[in-house]
Amino acid sequence: MGGALAIRPSAALLSDLFLSSHHRVLLRCRNNSIHLRTTASPQQPPRRRLATVSPMASAYKPDEARVPPALQLPTPPVTKFKIALCQLSVIPDKERNIAHARKAIEEAASKGAQLVLLPEIWNSPYSNDSFPVYAEDIEAGGDAAPSFAMLSEAARSLQITIVGGSIPERCGDRLYNTCCIFGTDGKLKGKHRKIHLFDIDIPGKITFKESKTLTAGEHPTVVDTDVGRIGVGICYDIRFQELAMLYAARGAHLICYPGAFNMTTGPLHWELLQRARAADNQLFVATCSPARDTGAGYTAWGHSTLVGPFGEVIATTEHEETIIVEEIDYSLIELRRSNLPLGNQRRGDLYQLVDVQRLNSQ
Amino acid sequence: MGGALAIRPSAALLSDLFLSSHHRVLLRCRNNSIHLRTTASPQQPPRRRLATVSPMASAYKPDEARVPPALQLPTPPVTKFKIALCQLSVIPDKERNIAHARKAIEEAASKGAQLVLLPEIWNSPYSNDSFPVYAEDIEAGGDAAPSFAMLSEAARSLQITIVGGSIPERCGDRLYNTCCIFGTDGKLKGKHRKIHLFDIDIPGKITFKESKTLTAGEHPTVVDTDVGRIGVGICYDIRFQELAMLYAARGAHLICYPGAFNMTTGPLHWELLQRARAADNQLFVATCSPARDTGAGYTAWGHSTLVGPFGEVIATTEHEETIIVEEIDYSLIELRRSNLPLGNQRRGDLYQLVDVQRLNSQ
């Protein structure tokens, strides 16, 4: 961290210093001032270090490259399981979209999927005009949230985990782009409201401003499920590498990004960003797009994909409606982290990524 | 930042609080303690905000996503110029390697290159046995550093900027993997010692431990040249996204990575990482590898590449010896940052990347 405060104690004495977080305090006297310097604490549990250590390695402080220090990767409840990516067609008929998604989830489960991922905005056309019309009041529930209710029921009756893509959510006078995560008991385990709104302007190609109608979420989302610790981002969230870094430091095995890239940014960046997040953070990344509808106002790129912790594409598809069912093997995470021990090689003496909410919660 | 200290003032009074850095201090009394909370200062110069601002945008603090706040992109001395990537063959004959590189630099300059980038370890075979033998004492200079002397002379006589790949450097009893950057006057403008040593172990594929012989550098390197602000990393440095983020926040137009990826990590990650660094940070990335020599102990992947600020490959090559000469147009940086205004969309309220040395130097 290295935040430096200079405190000039005119009539003051500092008698005791206590630590409220992971910081220790170095106290220096210079001129008439007392300088406090905060640094990450050496009392944090030590992590594995590289066997071969270079002469200056003690200065590198890899643990401090994440503030608070990165959590150990938790042991997942299952090592191998099947994930399904349901690349659904979406039409301007909410009732049909819900029934259609229900059928796809059932098919995925029948093929052995223990985790089902749906696309971004799968119950509504992707447009600022549609968001208010198709939005559901998740907190009110019942008739006010039929998409939500279907996902909960499907998860419970099929005993699977569902990362429910996203739907427009109404909460008071605000709208969000929201992903609900359901456990095998059908209960809501977490809710991710898109943190980074899709406001881009590539003249002649694609201009869109989600912020015209939507409000951005206020929290990163990591959920412990029966199929491991899952971080969630929605579409444009994937462009912000900090979010994936933060999820990795919170011990995620897998990051799920429901997303509807378009015909411009799709070929440019969709696979690139997924593979980069997976390889840089040495974890699994799964994405799920709506199927392409060239008649729609917003044309989705498709190409839902599963990427392994070496940045390798494990499964992908074109743009038509389809369901990918593929195995995830979490033992690959440990393998790749032993091949390339990036976590022990980071230079906490030079750069540090701060997870603000995790830090403040300590 | 948000580092929180709890100070219990038993006989103490805190009368004054002064700020030594970019921090402001929030003071809270709770029980018998005074809590200091450091946060980035609102007194920092305001940066451009997105025209369309969502209701909660004031909480997002994009400026605080980099600590200290990201510098404005400086106006480069030239907007368009030619860069040369010299993918050189390297043999176990230092004198030949120096003469060979000299000839390539001359050819590049004759084709209009104002900036020449050389490969990692171009004057020596890439092996822990060779590093001590081929190393040069750059600080001693003269006969102790013939590769260094050639680069300086070539830059001066051809009036070009050279990012001199890397050579093994001896300094006291330590060895470094070092890149020297020369201005058009032949003077040394900067020296990057590889920060992240290449210690990897992919059994049956590639195992290498640079740390057996080398010491890691202690500083990120950004240099202002006649062809813009250039950040430098060497090979394995490219795996650490934090370094590229930090260079972007320091106002780099271009990051140069001399690098010798291998036949395992090359096809997996070489282009992926370059494109990700360029797209995520919206700047140019140039890489330069030695040509492939399948008879060598370490077989380089080749594929030197220039990538634009949309992550687009502008020029690349296979593995044979060659010189790529290609135009860089820095106006693309501003264009892509206006297309996707990531810098104004980051969530400084959720994550912050700290540039430790820049922070401490303030």
Side-chain angles (χ1 to χ4, degrees):
Chain A
M1 295 281 291
L5 311 179
I7 299 179
R8 192 177 63 184
S10 37
L13 277 172
L14 284 172
S15 66
D16 278 312
L17 288 168
F18 287 82
L19 306 181
S20 71
S21 75
H22 70 297
H23 289 82
R24 68 192 159 95
V25 174
L26 301 179
L27 214 141
R28 285 186 298 147
C29 288
R30 195 168 65 187
N31 306 329
N32 204 25
S33 299
I34 295 172
H35 292 258
L36 303 181
R37 184 161 289 277
T38 62
T39 64
S41 167
Q43 297 149 350
Q44 289 298 316
R47 297 173 65 215
R48 287 163 309 157
R49 303 247 171 199
L50 199 63
T52 309
V53 180
S54 60
M56 293 287 289
S58 58
Y60 300 163
K61 304 176 186 162
D63 291 347
E64 296 184 18
R66 298 292 178 266
V67 179
L71 302 177
Q72 288 274 0
L73 190 73
T75 303
V78 287
T79 303
K80 291 186 184 183
F81 67 96
K82 283 188 181 162
I83 184 174
L85 317 176
C86 298
Q87 184 166 294
L88 302 173
S89 71
V90 177
I91 66 169
D93 176 341
K94 185 165 158 181
E95 211 168 313
R96 175 272 183 195
N97 290 337
I98 294 173
H100 193 64
R102 178 68 178 80
K103 211 182 295 176
I105 294 167
E106 203 163 312
E107 184 183 331
S110 76
K111 292 180 174 167
Q114 289 177 259
L115 170 62
V116 172
L117 176 60
L118 297 188
E120 183 183 22
I121 305 291
W122 59 265
N123 73 344
S124 156
Y126 184 84
S127 78
N128 277 314
D129 289 344
S130 300
F131 297 153
V133 180
Y134 288 73
E136 303 193 358
D137 189 333
I138 290 171
E139 284 167 21
D143 290 347
S147 304
F148 177 91
M150 180 279 284
L151 293 179
S152 169
E153 181 278 322
R156 186 182 48 73
S157 66
L158 299 167
Q159 298 189 324
I160 57 172
T161 300
I162 296 181
V163 176
S166 79
I167 61 172
E169 177 197 5
R170 183 183 305 282
C171 181
D173 59 355
R174 291 195 172 137
L175 295 173
Y176 299 94
N177 186 337
T178 301
C179 175
C180 294
I181 305 102
F182 300 89
T184 52
D185 56 2
K187 287 194 180 142
L188 183 69
K189 292 187 84 79
K191 194 171 76 169
H192 182 76
R193 290 169 168 168
K194 190 176 195 170
I195 290 173
H196 303 92
L197 294 180
F198 177 58
D199 285 356
I200 79 169
D201 180 23
I202 309 178
K205 299 283 189 180
I206 171 77
T207 296
F208 202 98
K209 299 260 182 272
E210 276 190 332
S211 61
K212 276 187 187 170
T213 57
L214 302 184
T215 300
E218 296 295 315
H219 308 280
T221 305
V222 175
V223 179
D224 279 314
T225 74
D226 288 356
V227 289
R229 186 168 292 178
I230 301 175
V232 178
I234 300 175
C235 200
Y236 203 59
D237 282 337
I238 201 174
R239 289 201 176 269
F240 298 83
Q241 54 194 323
E242 301 90 337
L243 185 65
M245 294 160 80
L246 177 160
Y247 285 158
R250 291 187 184 190
H253 301 102
L254 164 67
I255 306 180
C256 289
Y257 293 102
F261 269 45
N262 53 69
M263 301 299 287
T264 299
T265 60
L268 278 169
H269 298 145
W270 178 236
E271 186 174 291
L272 172 69
L273 296 175
Q274 301 172 45
R275 293 188 57 216
R277 302 298 169 254
D280 284 337
N281 298 291
Q282 302 182 301
L283 40 64
F284 283 84
V285 166
T287 61
C288 190
S289 167
R292 189 177 304 165
D293 174 3
T294 50
Y298 181 94
T299 310
W301 172 239
H303 293 264
S304 303
T305 301
L306 175 65
V307 184
F310 233 24
E312 75 279 27
V313 172
I314 296 173
T316 189
T317 186
E318 291 295 326
H319 57 80
E320 298 88 358
E321 179 161 75
T322 190
I323 300 175
I324 295 176
V325 180
E326 189 64 49
E327 186 177 77
I328 283 182
D329 178 355
Y330 282 147
S331 72
L332 287 176
I333 299 178
E334 285 285 10
L335 175 66
R336 296 321 180 190
R337 291 183 185 187
S338 74
N339 292 156
L340 305 179
L342 305 181
N344 303 319
Q345 296 169 329
R346 293 200 183 101
R347 297 294 300 263
D349 58 329
L350 300 180
Y351 46 74
Q352 304 177 323
L353 183 83
V354 183
D355 180 340
V356 175
Q357 293 188 348
R358 192 156 75 89
L359 180 64
N360 286 340
S361 73
Q362 288 195 326
Chain B
M1 295 280 291
L5 312 179
I7 298 179
R8 193 178 60 184
S10 38
L13 278 170
L14 286 170
S15 66
D16 278 313
L17 288 168
F18 287 82
L19 307 181
S20 72
S21 75
H22 69 296
H23 289 82
R24 69 194 159 94
V25 175
L26 301 180
L27 214 143
R28 284 187 298 151
C29 288
R30 195 167 63 187
N31 305 331
N32 203 24
S33 300
I34 295 174
H35 292 258
L36 303 182
R37 185 162 290 276
T38 62
T39 64
S41 166
Q43 296 148 353
Q44 290 298 318
R47 297 172 65 215
R48 286 164 308 156
R49 305 249 170 198
L50 201 62
T52 309
V53 180
S54 60
M56 292 289 288
S58 59
Y60 300 162
K61 304 176 187 163
D63 292 347
E64 296 183 18
R66 298 294 179 266
V67 179
L71 302 177
Q72 287 273 0
L73 191 72
T75 304
V78 287
T79 303
K80 290 186 185 185
F81 67 97
K82 284 187 180 164
I83 184 174
L85 316 176
C86 297
Q87 184 166 293
L88 301 174
S89 71
V90 177
I91 66 169
D93 177 341
K94 185 164 157 181
E95 211 169 310
R96 175 271 184 195
N97 290 337
I98 294 174
H100 193 63
R102 178 69 177 80
K103 211 182 294 175
I105 294 168
E106 203 163 310
E107 185 183 331
S110 76
K111 291 180 176 167
Q114 289 176 259
L115 169 63
V116 172
L117 176 59
L118 297 187
E120 183 184 22
I121 306 290
W122 58 266
N123 72 344
S124 156
Y126 184 84
S127 78
N128 277 313
D129 289 343
S130 301
F131 297 152
V133 180
Y134 288 74
E136 302 194 358
D137 189 333
I138 290 170
E139 284 168 20
D143 289 348
S147 304
F148 178 91
M150 180 280 284
L151 293 179
S152 169
E153 180 278 323
R156 186 182 48 75
S157 67
L158 299 168
Q159 298 189 323
I160 57 172
T161 300
I162 297 180
V163 176
S166 79
I167 60 172
E169 178 197 4
R170 184 184 303 284
C171 181
D173 59 355
R174 291 195 170 135
L175 294 173
Y176 299 93
N177 185 338
T178 301
C179 176
C180 295
I181 305 101
F182 300 89
T184 52
D185 57 2
K187 288 195 180 141
L188 183 68
K189 292 187 84 83
K191 193 170 77 169
H192 181 76
R193 290 169 168 169
K194 190 176 193 170
I195 290 172
H196 303 91
L197 294 180
F198 177 58
D199 285 357
I200 79 169
D201 180 22
I202 310 178
K205 299 284 188 180
I206 170 78
T207 297
F208 202 97
K209 299 259 182 272
E210 276 190 331
S211 61
K212 277 188 185 168
T213 57
L214 302 184
T215 300
E218 295 295 315
H219 307 281
T221 305
V222 175
V223 179
D224 279 315
T225 74
D226 288 356
V227 288
R229 186 168 293 178
I230 302 176
V232 178
I234 300 176
C235 201
Y236 204 58
D237 282 338
I238 201 173
R239 288 201 177 269
F240 298 83
Q241 54 194 322
E242 301 90 337
L243 186 64
M245 294 159 80
L246 177 160
Y247 285 159
R250 290 187 185 190
H253 301 101
L254 165 67
I255 306 180
C256 289
Y257 293 102
F261 269 45
N262 53 69
M263 302 298 288
T264 300
T265 60
L268 278 168
H269 298 145
W270 178 237
E271 186 174 291
L272 171 68
L273 296 176
Q274 301 172 44
R275 293 186 58 216
R277 301 299 168 252
D280 283 338
N281 298 292
Q282 303 183 303
L283 41 65
F284 282 85
V285 166
T287 61
C288 191
S289 167
R292 189 177 303 165
D293 174 2
T294 50
Y298 181 95
T299 309
W301 172 241
H303 293 264
S304 303
T305 302
L306 176 65
V307 184
F310 233 24
E312 74 280 26
V313 172
I314 296 173
T316 190
T317 186
E318 292 295 326
H319 57 80
E320 298 88 357
E321 180 163 74
T322 190
I323 300 174
I324 295 175
V325 180
E326 190 64 49
E327 187 175 77
I328 283 181
D329 179 353
Y330 282 147
S331 71
L332 288 176
I333 299 177
E334 285 285 12
L335 176 65
R336 296 321 179 190
R337 292 183 186 188
S338 75
N339 292 156
L340 306 178
L342 305 181
N344 302 320
Q345 295 170 328
R346 292 198 183 100
R347 297 293 300 262
D349 58 328
L350 300 180
Y351 47 73
Q352 304 176 324
L353 183 83
V354 183
D355 179 340
V356 176
Q357 293 188 348
R358 192 156 78 88
L359 180 64
N360 286 340
S361 73
Q362 287 192 328

